[in-house]
Amino acid sequence: MTRNAHVALVTCFNEDETINYEATRAQVRRQVAAGNDLMVCGTNGDFSALTHDEKIRLTQEVMDEVQGRVKVIANVGCPATFETLQLAKAVDGLGLHGIAVITPYFIACTQDGLIRHFTTIADAVKTPVYLYDIPARTQNHIEPATAKVLAKHPNIAGIKDSGGSTETVLEYLEVAKEVGSFEVYCAPDHLVLWGLEQGCAGVVSGLGNVAPELLAQIIKGFNEGDIDSAKAAQENFAGLRVDLYALGFPPALVKRALYMNDRSVGLSRQPALLPDADQDAKIAEILTNRNLLK
């Protein structure tokens, strides 16, 4: 099975914090040129700061720009099932490879509640649904036993794990082996190659916004059996992650590092990270040391 990488695409903003769709399209072209698939409206895309209508239009714009050249997954997860369902229906039929549904946030859920939530969405759309687990941000975790129940649904295609626990990834992979036709995507950037080696269908990367070619090299090396090349790229990629993420909130640092090379991406919506001269100098040094600053 050929493995792939989805980059959790940044959303670009104008100075007045409206979405810069043209700049976002440019980022799409950049990732397509590198050979990476895409995830839109994810954590690195500031999805929690976007309105309902913006998420729909953003997905439409990305799909229009892609024109079938790469696979696109769109996250539609909201705190309540009601709005998640409305958003899922709105993007269903756009030709997406999948609809990702992040676990509800702010609302504490039982595992039975999560099963009802995901089942409701999967029942209502034709596009394959991917569960999206990121408990550090949502405070709701999809237990492996729950994933096993949901994996049996004919329209639930897999899960994106952003928890960072290798143990949980391995447990999800056991579910995939038992159920079949259930894909596991590993998200933490330091685990890209490890995830592929364990049997993950692919990865979803935020750091790929900063270094798309490096991410693509890991995938290409693995797919072609050139593990030395994949390992070298992974070591560089993981080192970039350690250096950059040591400075603060990862999605904000990814956006700021990308901004250092292309100011059209803009800033994140407030109250996210504001420019800081000292921090910018550190980011520039990190990018320079890894030959990533233009």
Side-chain angles (χ1 to χ4, degrees), residues 22-275:
E22 207 45 57
T24 302
R25 281 175 175 262
Q27 291 303 313
V28 170
R29 293 191 292 273
R30 178 169 168 261
Q31 294 298 336
V32 170
N36 296 321
D37 294 326
L38 298 169
M39 181 176 187
V40 62
C41 296
T43 303
N44 280 271
D46 289 301
F47 84 93
S48 59
L50 304 179
T51 68
H52 182 92
D53 289 343
E54 285 175 334
K55 292 173 186 176
I56 296 170
R57 181 177 170 186
L58 185 61
T59 303
Q60 292 171 331
E61 295 267 352
V62 170
M63 291 303 293
D64 182 65
E65 187 63 43
V66 164
Q67 290 294 310
R69 290 175 291 171
V70 298
K71 298 175 182 177
V72 181
I73 294 175
N75 170 46
V76 301
C78 301
T81 305
F82 180 84
E83 186 179 4
T84 303
L85 182 60
Q86 303 310 308
L87 189 54
K89 287 181 176 179
V91 300
D92 192 26
L94 291 180
L96 291 162
H97 174 71
I99 289 175
V101 182
I102 196 170
T103 51
Y105 42 98
F106 191 78
I107 300 173
C109 299
T110 64
Q111 294 301 300
D112 284 343
L114 290 176
I115 290 172
R116 290 196 304 274
H117 177 74
F118 290 115
T119 299
T120 298
I121 308 308
D123 283 345
V125 297
K126 294 181 180 179
T127 306
V129 169
Y130 286 84
L131 315 177
Y132 181 176
D133 191 61
I134 182 168
R137 299 282 173 252
T138 67
Q139 302 303 306
N140 284 311
H141 171 52
I142 304 169
E143 299 288 349
T146 299
K148 185 175 180 179
V149 172
L150 291 166
K152 296 175 182 177
H153 191 290
N155 198 37
I156 292 181
I159 188 167
K160 172 186 182 284
D161 176 80
S162 295
S165 166
T166 56
E167 181 181 354
T168 300
V169 173
L170 292 174
E171 288 177 317
Y172 287 154
L173 285 168
E174 282 301 313
V175 171
K177 290 177 184 177
E178 291 180 38
V179 177
S181 301
F182 183 73
E183 299 176 331
V184 179
Y185 280 81
C186 188
D189 291 302
H190 64 297
L191 297 177
V192 173
L193 182 56
W194 176 88
L196 300 178
E197 291 174 330
Q198 300 309 309
C200 289
V203 299
V204 179
S205 170
L207 196 59
N209 284 288
V210 180
E213 292 82 8
L214 199 55
L215 174 63
Q217 184 183 337
I218 301 172
I219 303 300
K220 183 175 185 288
F222 181 85
N223 284 332
E224 295 181 354
D226 188 352
I227 301 303
D228 287 342
S229 174
K231 284 183 177 178
Q234 176 65 83
E235 183 177 349
N236 196 354
F237 203 56
L240 173 62
R241 174 188 182 275
V242 170
D243 293 344
L244 191 60
Y245 292 3
L247 300 180
F249 182 53
L253 269 300
V254 165
K255 186 73 172 289
R256 192 62 181 172
L258 185 55
Y259 176 87
M260 302 289 282
N261 278 324
D262 183 356
R263 301 207 168 193
S264 72
V265 301
L267 306 178
S268 294
R269 278 181 173 165
Q270 291 307 297
L273 178 73
L274 281 173

